């Protein structure tokens, strides 16, 4: 329990440092756009393109589907099991810049899905790996900037996404 409190205390400290930084308002506008790229529409578009290009036999499509079928339930169980309040509920007089789709913050689903898609897409299109990892990191960072996640929410989201991607690649490809 002491560890959880220490992590939360550090999270609040880091969150407040970011929110109170002089450049915060400049980041906020960009964060809104970057965060939207992780809302799921691009993933649906990617799955649709892969289906129409190669059909259900596409290893890329199969890997993505397996990863989402595994990651989303784990994410849901963690989110509803830990029930960690979002910054707006945890910090007095703070208001997030966007309205989150659910009540709890741990882990970040946007970050998890972004890293999962980045790793899998980078495996199949290696030249895109580094730009996609940068994009995934920016999605996670944008969620903190927007005030809907603490830093460790995005860190655990990243770990979940990378783990789901790695497992799925091992099952389908390797």
């Amino acid at each position: 329990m002491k560890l959880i409190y220490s992590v939360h205390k550090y999270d609040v400290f880091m969150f407040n440092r970011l929110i109170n930084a002089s450049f915060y308002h400049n980041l906020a506008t960009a964060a809104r756009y970057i965060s939207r790229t992780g809302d799921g529409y691009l993933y649906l578009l990617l799955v649709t393109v892969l289906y129409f290009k190669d059909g259900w036999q596409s290893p890329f499509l199969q890997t993505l589907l397996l990863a989402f079928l595994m990651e989303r339930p784990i994410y849901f169980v963690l989110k509803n099991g830990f029930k960690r309040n979002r910054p707006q509920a945890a910090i007095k007089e703070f208001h997030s810049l966007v309205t989150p789709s659910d009540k709890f913050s741990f882990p970040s689903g946007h970050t998890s899905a972004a890293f999962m898609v980045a790793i899998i897409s980078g495996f199949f299109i290696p030249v895109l790996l580094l730009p996609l990892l940068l994009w995934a990191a920016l999605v996670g960072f944008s969620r903190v900037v927007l005030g809907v996640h603490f830093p460790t929410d995005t860190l655990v989201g990243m770990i979940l996404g990378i783990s789901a991607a790695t497992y799925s690649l091992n099952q389908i490809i390797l």
Side-chain angles (χ1 to χ4, degrees):
M1 202 54 129
K2 217 175 186 183
L3 176 63
I4 292 173
Y5 176 73
S6 295
V7 169
H8 178 72
K9 190 174 172 183
Y10 178 76
D11 253 355
V12 170
F13 172 77
M14 292 303 293
F15 182 83
N16 282 326
R17 291 276 314 247
L18 173 66
I19 299 305
N20 293 315
S22 60
F23 54 85
Y24 172 72
H25 292 291
N26 294 332
L27 287 176
T29 301
R32 289 178 192 271
Y33 293 108
I34 293 167
S35 178
R36 285 188 190 135
T37 65
D39 284 350
Y41 305 110
L42 292 177
Y43 311 141
L44 184 58
L45 178 63
L46 177 59
V47 165
T48 302
V49 167
L50 290 172
Y51 173 75
F52 283 111
K53 182 180 175 282
D54 297 324
W56 292 115
Q57 300 307 317
S58 165
F60 192 170
L61 177 60
Q62 290 177 5
T63 305
L64 279 173
L65 292 176
L66 176 60
F68 273 113
L69 285 171
M70 183 180 65
E71 181 268 347
R72 286 287 101 177
I74 293 170
Y75 152 80
F76 183 79
V77 167
L78 289 173
K79 176 112 26 183
N80 292 292
F82 281 100
K83 296 182 178 180
R84 183 180 193 187
N85 285 329
R86 292 189 181 270
Q88 183 168 308
I91 300 172
K92 290 181 182 180
E93 298 184 29
F94 173 76
H95 299 285
S96 61
L97 299 177
V98 296
T99 303
S101 60
D102 58 26
K103 185 176 179 179
F104 304 117
S105 72
F106 183 87
S108 168
H110 276 75
T111 308
S112 178
F115 271 95
M116 186 177 68
V117 170
I119 294 292
I120 293 170
S121 298
F123 177 85
F124 287 98
I125 311 168
V127 71
L128 293 180
L129 180 61
L130 289 178
L132 287 170
L133 288 174
L134 175 61
W135 163 77
L138 289 172
V139 168
F141 183 66
S142 74
R143 302 301 287 169
V144 177
V145 171
L146 294 173
V148 293
H149 285 289
F150 289 107
T152 55
D153 299 339
T154 59
L155 177 63
V156 173
M158 178 187 73
I159 292 167
L160 175 58
I162 291 171
S163 298
T166 302
Y167 177 82
S168 298
L169 283 165
N170 282 323
Q171 295 304 305
I172 302 295
I173 304 302
L174 306 175

